Amino acid sequence: MRCRREVAVTTPELVERDLVLDELSDALAAASRGHGRMVLLEGDAGVGKTAVAAAVAARASSGVQRLVGSCDPLTTPQSLGPLLDMVEQSPRLASAARGTRHELFSALLRELSARQTLAIIEDVHWADAATADLLVHLGRRVTGTRALVLVTLRAQDLASDHPARIAIDGLATQRGVVRRTLEPLSVSGVARLVGGRAIDVEQLHARTGGNPFFVTEVLAAPGWAVPPTVADAVRARARRLPVAARAVLDTAAVEAASASLQHLIALGHAPADVDAALASGMLVHAAGRVGFRHELARLGVLGDLAPAARAERHRAWLRLLEHAAQHEADAARFAAHARGAADRAATVVWSRRAAAYAAGHGTHREAASHLEAALAAGDALEPAERATLLSALAAEHSLIDRRGDAVAASEAALRLRMQLGDHEATLVARAELARAKWGLGDGAVARALMAEAVAEADRLASPAMSPTTARAVAFVHAWAGYLAMLARDDAAARRWATSAVRIARAHRLDDVLVVALNALGSTMIVGGHDLAGVQRLEEARELASALGAEGAEADALVNLGSALGEVREYALAGPCLERANAFAQARDLDAAAHYVTAWLARVRFEQGHWGEAEALLTALDLEHQGSPISAIVGLTVLGGLRCRRGEPVGDALERAWQLAQRTGDLQRLWPVVAARAEAVWLLGAAAPDPSLLGDLGAALAMAEERGLEWARDELRLWLARLDAGGASCERAARRDGGTAFALALAGSHATAAEAWRALGCPYEQAEALAEAGDEASLRHALALLQQLGGVPLAARARRRLRAQGATAVPLGPRPAARTHPSGLTARQLDVLELVAAGCTDRQIAERLFLSAKTVGHHVSGILAALGVDGRTAATRLAVERAWVGDDRSAKMGNPPQAGAHAAP
């Protein structure tokens, strides 16, 4: 079981912390009345976050339940470490310990609601992705509990893409979440600690920066000299101890978590020496556990330990812990000791087990890190084992959207399989590489690799093939069907997927069956609008769930939503996509989460919910997408949104087209070329670029060949509009379609408008009404477009109304409101107004109900659009050009001072 440090319930007097302690105590009292809170307690290392948490626990009455968990500074974080700590402290949580992550989260929430609780989660800057998800889960629901959830962290140590940073930024607008920052001590605060000692208080304050831990270490050092760093102060203090007591510190320092007294004695330390180390004050003892007073102290001692001695102590810890009762959750801890001991064989064993545990708990970043550690063990791995680990690593990289790394691992696995001469394994590895190449957007290479794999699979297939051969053949056929489905090649997808289903059912290959059913169900929906495909996809999802294959389960959910969205079954697609998004977000499945977010944006855009679509695209962060597939969908929606609003389109559609061309897949090419055509048509260009007509024609030929109705009819419509009377006109005007696009192409504009209304697409309805051309239809179209903000098409409708002699035509928005001279969107103008008012990103996020990360992206976009290098310059330019008023402070209210915080 995990060996953890506890928050002591008795602490010395804290200096300059009365205000925060009172606020936290009040929050705990409010929690008893059902008004729960989460407080994010931030501050530098050594500033006293843990001491404050301990003081709050000490102040709490005996009736308050205390649950304490912490994240450890392991090379790769332990999955759900803090929650596992709490499981050990509560019998009710222990009963749910073997459940799924969702069941664990739900059990904790019930526990926090059942009785007044102080839940402390320490050192979140070392958290894994699953713990970050736990923070989000609790933060969104804490107001309905009877708990104060106190979270300590060093926010400055969190990279912008760290899961905990993203989680914390996302909680910024939750009313039950408060952020507090502990500041260093003032000179008078340091003077209180110094007391009557003969030491220069101001010099001590200047050298230590008022850091309480540093100050106390200096005061404990001989002569009260002020060392240059905390580590130096710790070392000076440690070196005063007898050799045997110092050895206790060294042993404790290599264990990132706290140890038990029995552990230290079992490792050869005499009880008297352990007592001497405790008496020094560098180690503390609480609830049977021994640990350093602060992580800075542990690091200071560890840094003074010679490499060979450090490795030997890691080896001793590993031997001791391996013989103790083991829990799979401890695998990450054992792997850290194995790496510290340079024990390659043990590193492989424990890193593999840690990877399996992490993947099983939805922390795929950590799973990939553990697999990389195992692979780094070099000659401790046999070639076949290395190839297996490389394939597993490629799968984890794909799940977390590190597509280039997935390709590299798949290529290395294929090379090893070929060298080993294992035909079936080579066949599977080639199909895996094809899948990875597709994920990177390299469609031509993916198809060539898959064609090679299929040819070899067909050569090996026979009615009497061995189970190993059957697995390889079924795997290749399943993924060949899957890639054909993605390319919208209906015939090939059905052929290969059906073959894979047959072989997989005969040989009980459930994991392969999941892929095949996914491909078949998706093809049934998008290829023939056959909603019986929903049952195939649900079967795939249920089977994946039973196998614990979260990535495959997410794929089934995502394909269910996107396939229904593609055939415009919005009433089914929207809930499916939201369900897929919640599933992927909760399990660290970045690739699925990114793609489903892009698809949700597309569905909301087509439904006329443009503000929601824009917010989803902002959250997606299209500038830093690992997956080109998600970027294609998102950029296409972004370009279409800007185009229909009359805003500068920028290079969104061009970038999407470049990525789509690399895939060669119809489902990527069709929406982008249609959006490019719409942009040209709305701008009213005299003659479209011949290359665009060529691209439209090529995509249309593919759609006609594959019988993809929605693609075919939309592409025909745009080809007819852009090349009226041209060489493509006759082909574009074919009347064998049945979609709303085909109705418009046939000139049945009123019928098309009604079809679009029934589907729930108000912009397309307005477009059809505008094309109908009569006054009533034009006025109806104009009303819809004014609600949506469809500026260019609304201008067309007004011009046609005036040309018909209509009177009382509603005016459009003023030019200043319609198009900003620097191309800023309405949301960016809102942000700029607050920037000019002196607000920080966090304050802007709170006012506009955005995440701080999203605000940061908006600010970056504003600076780029204005061509300035900072907020001050942007403010000056905005004032000079009257984009914001001189009375902005009065309008916005005086922003709170930096560092100010609301009370819990």
Side-chain angles (χ1 to χ4, degrees), residues 663-712:
T663 72
D665 288 347
L666 177 59
Q667 74 155 318
R668 311 301 168 201
L669 295 166
W670 147 45
V672 188
V673 74
R676 290 169 61 210
E678 181 180 9
V680 169
W681 182 74
L682 276 177
L683 290 173
D689 185 342
S691 68
L692 175 56
L693 295 178
D695 294 338
L696 275 169
L700 175 56
M702 195 182 299
E704 289 174 335
E705 176 193 358
R706 298 178 182 180
L708 201 65
E709 191 177 47
W710 279 100
R712 179 196 62 203

Side-chain angles (χ1 to χ4, degrees), residues 463 465-467 470-471 502-509:
M465 56 187 164
S466 69
R471 167 171 283 281
R502 176 179 53 79
I503 299 171
R505 289 198 192 279
H507 291 269
R508 298 185 178 182
L509 306 171

Side-chain angles (χ1 to χ4, degrees), residues 620-893:
L620 185 59
D621 188 10
L622 291 169
E623 296 296 327
H624 303 93
Q625 272 301 298
S627 168
I629 308 306
S630 302
I632 291 167
V633 178
L635 288 168
T636 304
V637 175
L638 179 63
L641 182 62
R642 290 174 175 173
C643 171
R644 290 183 180 183
R645 282 176 167 172
E647 298 171 351
V649 175
D651 64 349
L653 294 180
E654 185 57 37
R655 288 164 55 202
W657 181 242
Q658 290 171 0
L659 293 171
Q661 283 181 299
R662 284 191 65 228
T663 72
D665 288 347
L666 177 59
Q667 74 155 318
R668 311 301 168 201
L669 295 166
W670 147 45
V672 188
V673 74
R676 290 169 61 210
E678 181 180 9
V680 169
W681 182 74
L682 276 177
L683 290 173
D689 185 342
S691 68
L692 175 56
L693 295 178
D695 294 338
L696 275 169
L700 175 56
M702 195 182 299
E704 289 174 335
E705 176 193 358
R706 298 178 182 180
L708 201 65
E709 191 177 47
W710 279 100
R712 179 196 62 203
D713 293 349
E714 183 174 12
L715 293 169
R716 282 179 180 174
L717 178 63
W718 287 118
L719 197 56
R721 283 177 173 174
L722 294 189
D723 196 30
S728 308
C729 185
E730 182 179 349
R731 178 182 172 199
R734 292 173 186 168
R735 302 288 191 267
D736 57 339
T739 68
F741 287 122
L743 292 170
L745 185 60
S748 303
H749 299 297
T751 308
E754 177 56 27
W756 286 120
R757 186 203 63 76
L759 286 169
C761 300
Y763 184 86
E764 285 80 359
Q765 179 190 357
E767 187 178 87
L769 287 167
E771 288 297 294
D774 61 277
E775 182 174 345
S777 296
L778 285 166
R779 287 188 182 278
H780 189 183
L782 192 55
L784 288 171
L785 293 166
Q786 285 182 313
Q787 290 177 352
L788 289 166
V791 174
L793 191 56
R796 280 185 176 228
R798 289 189 189 89
R799 288 195 296 270
R800 294 188 69 175
L801 280 169
R802 293 189 182 107
Q804 293 177 11
T807 58
V809 177
L811 296 175
R814 291 175 299 165
R818 184 169 66 240
T819 304
H820 191 272
S822 291
L824 299 182
T825 66
R827 178 58 85 189
Q828 286 175 324
L829 284 170
D830 291 339
V831 173
L832 180 58
E833 185 89 24
L834 290 167
V835 167
C839 292
T840 65
D841 284 0
R842 187 183 303 172
Q843 292 158 359
I844 295 172
E846 291 170 354
R847 290 169 185 263
L848 299 182
F849 303 99
L850 300 171
S851 71
K853 180 180 179 182
T854 297
V855 171
H857 293 318
H858 278 314
V859 171
S860 297
I862 291 167
L863 300 182
L866 300 184
V868 297
D869 58 4
R871 299 164 80 101
T872 301
T875 298
R876 186 182 304 112
L877 187 63
V879 172
E880 289 173 355
R881 300 188 181 180
W883 298 337
V884 298
D886 290 333
D887 60 339
R888 58 190 182 279
S889 294
K891 288 194 297 180
M892 306 312 298

